């Protein structure tokens, strides 16, 4: 007989863990913040490269574009899994973690904004490192059909949609990405964390939403390959600004502020008990500080 295994914290407990993680992140040494963000940029760039490689199938692009996007979206989440499980910092995840910490008055607002600033530039440095050194000089996408796919993909992201389209897609994207972070914290064991991270990330990629750090690979890679009409100025105007603003709202408001409002605003004591099930439910106490430290490490 097969038993169902569930090993997860209650959502109210996860909101508390997110606040503690936000405090830890916001108070981290700035050099460590930068290198943590650099690592996250590199790891996500690898996943972006896999997505581009998977999309390079001419027949599917012409006859079943939805199917190939779905397949690409299924493999992309390994990037966010590596980032969260190694404790690296995406600025998009920081929009949730540090917002909750600041709303709880456990982190000054200026430290929240400083963490956003440093993680953004660290993510950009890591992404550009992989784009130039690994993908670029490594000639990973130098030949067709891979080169054509990189250019076509970036063209659809930058030239076709209007500014407000990208902004709204940015909101949807980080709403889902921060849900992936939230669910990653919710799982106690590795398998639960992977499942929690995987599906919201799959959702944002399959829907074609815009992630500011993913764009740090997609668009510069096209510029490296001399994509027509795609310039650094256009990338800043439509690849960074609307996406970043949308990602801040999606992660900071729709996830961070919402779950803070639902579970932490009242000031009531939260029962730090999750459920461990293997056929039957068994309560288990949780140490908040230990969980926050475990996530940060």
């Amino acid at each position: 007989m097969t038993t169902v295994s569930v090993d997860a914290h209650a959502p109210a407990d996860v909101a508390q863990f997110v606040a503690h993680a936000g405090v830890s992140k916001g108070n981290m040494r700035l050099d460590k913040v930068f290198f943590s963000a650099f690592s996250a940029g590199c790891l996500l760039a690898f996943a972006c490269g896999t997505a581009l490689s998977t999309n390079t199938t001419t027949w599917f692009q012409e006859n079943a574009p939805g199917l190939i996007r779905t397949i690409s979206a299924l493999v992309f989440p390994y990037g966010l899994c590596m980032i969260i499980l190694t404790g690296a910092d995406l600025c998009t995840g920081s929009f949730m973690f540090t917002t909750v910490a600041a709303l709880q008055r456990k982190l000054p607002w200026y430290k929240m904004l400083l963490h956003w600033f440093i993680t953004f530039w660290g993510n950009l440095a890591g992404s550009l490192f992989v784009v130039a050194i690994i993908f670029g000089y490594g000639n990973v996408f130098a030949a067709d059909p891979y080169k054509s796919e990189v250019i076509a993909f970036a063209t659809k992201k930058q030239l076709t949609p209007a500014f407000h389209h990208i902004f709204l897609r940015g909101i949807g994207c980080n709403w889902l990405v921060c849900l992936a972070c939230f669910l990653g914290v919710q799982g106690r064991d590795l398998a639960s964390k992977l499942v929690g991270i995987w599906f919201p990330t799959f959702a944002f990629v399959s829907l074609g939403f815009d992630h500011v750090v993913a764009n740090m690979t997609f668009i510069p890679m096209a510029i490296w390959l001399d994509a027509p009409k795609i310039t650094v100025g256009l990338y800043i105007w439509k690849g960074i600004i609307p996406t970043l603003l949308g990602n801040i709202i999606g992660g900071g408001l729709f996830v961070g502020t919402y779950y803070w409002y639902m579970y932490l605003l009242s000031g009531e004591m939260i029962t730090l008990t999750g459920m461990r099930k293997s056929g039957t439910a068994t309560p288990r106490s949780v140490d908040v500080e230990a969980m926050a430290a475990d996530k940060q490490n």
Side-chain angles (χ1 to χ4, degrees):
M1 179 179 177
T2 303
T3 59
V4 177
S5 177
V6 177
D7 196 4
H9 299 289
D13 299 341
V14 179
Q16 191 75 278
F17 302 151
V18 167
H20 280 276
V23 173
S24 298
K25 289 176 179 293
N27 288 306
M28 191 189 302
R29 275 174 38 186
L30 296 184
D31 59 317
K32 288 195 172 186
V33 173
F34 179 82
F35 285 114
S36 177
F38 183 92
S39 173
C42 293
L43 295 177
L44 196 67
F46 291 137
C48 291
T50 300
L52 289 169
S53 180
T54 305
N55 277 332
T56 307
T57 47
T58 305
W59 187 91
F60 277 100
Q61 291 287 6
E62 295 175 354
N63 297 280
L67 178 60
I68 195 59
R69 176 190 276 187
T70 299
I71 295 172
S72 177
L74 281 170
V75 299
F76 180 85
Y78 81 80
L80 190 59
C81 288
M82 292 191 299
I83 289 167
I84 293 176
L85 297 179
T86 60
D89 281 295
L90 277 178
C91 64
T92 48
S94 176
F95 299 154
M96 174 188 70
F97 286 109
T98 56
T99 295
V100 175
L103 289 170
Q104 279 292 89
R105 299 183 181 180
K106 294 181 178 179
L107 183 72
W109 290 99
Y110 80 89
K111 284 194 173 183
M112 178 194 79
L113 295 174
L114 180 61
H115 193 269
W116 291 8
F117 181 81
I118 299 298
T119 52
F120 174 85
W121 289 106
N123 291 160
L124 181 61
S127 300
L128 294 181
F129 174 81
V130 172
V131 167
I133 306 303
I134 308 298
F135 293 162
Y137 288 119
N139 282 344
V140 176
F141 297 100
D144 283 331
Y146 302 101
K147 179 179 179 179
S148 296
E149 172 55 27
V150 171
I151 294 174
F153 188 87
T155 299
K156 290 176 184 176
K157 274 194 167 292
Q158 295 290 267
L159 297 180
T160 305
F163 186 97
H164 69 281
H165 296 150
I166 299 173
F167 168 72
L168 294 172
R169 294 175 190 178
I171 293 176
C173 172
N174 212 34
W175 190 341
L176 290 166
V177 168
C178 286
L179 277 177
C181 295
F182 189 93
L183 297 178
V185 174
Q186 187 165 15
R188 283 198 180 103
D189 61 278
L190 182 63
S192 299
K193 289 178 179 295
L194 289 173
V195 172
I197 297 166
W198 207 274
F199 286 99
T201 311
F202 158 78
F204 105 73
V205 179
S206 68
L207 291 168
F209 290 160
D210 279 271
H211 187 270
V212 69
V213 184
N215 282 355
M216 292 174 183
T217 297
F218 292 135
I219 314 307
M221 192 70 246
I223 295 173
W224 181 278
L225 296 173
D226 298 320
K229 299 182 181 180
I230 298 181
T231 63
V232 174
L234 178 67
Y235 166 53
I236 294 172
W237 174 241
K238 292 180 71 176
I240 291 181
I241 295 174
T243 313
L244 181 62
L245 293 175
N247 286 173
I248 289 172
I249 294 173
L253 179 62
F254 284 80
V255 182
T257 303
Y258 170 76
Y259 287 111
W260 169 80
Y261 174 81
M262 293 299 294
Y263 298 123
L264 302 179
L265 178 61
S266 65
E268 298 174 358
M269 294 298 293
I270 295 176
T271 302
L272 301 180
T273 303
M275 298 303 295
R276 176 183 290 276
K277 298 176 77 175
S278 183
T280 58
T282 305
R284 173 176 144 182
S285 62
V286 179
D287 187 303
V288 177
E289 296 292 344
M291 282 299 302
D294 177 64
K295 187 191 180 306
Q296 183 60 35
N297 294 332

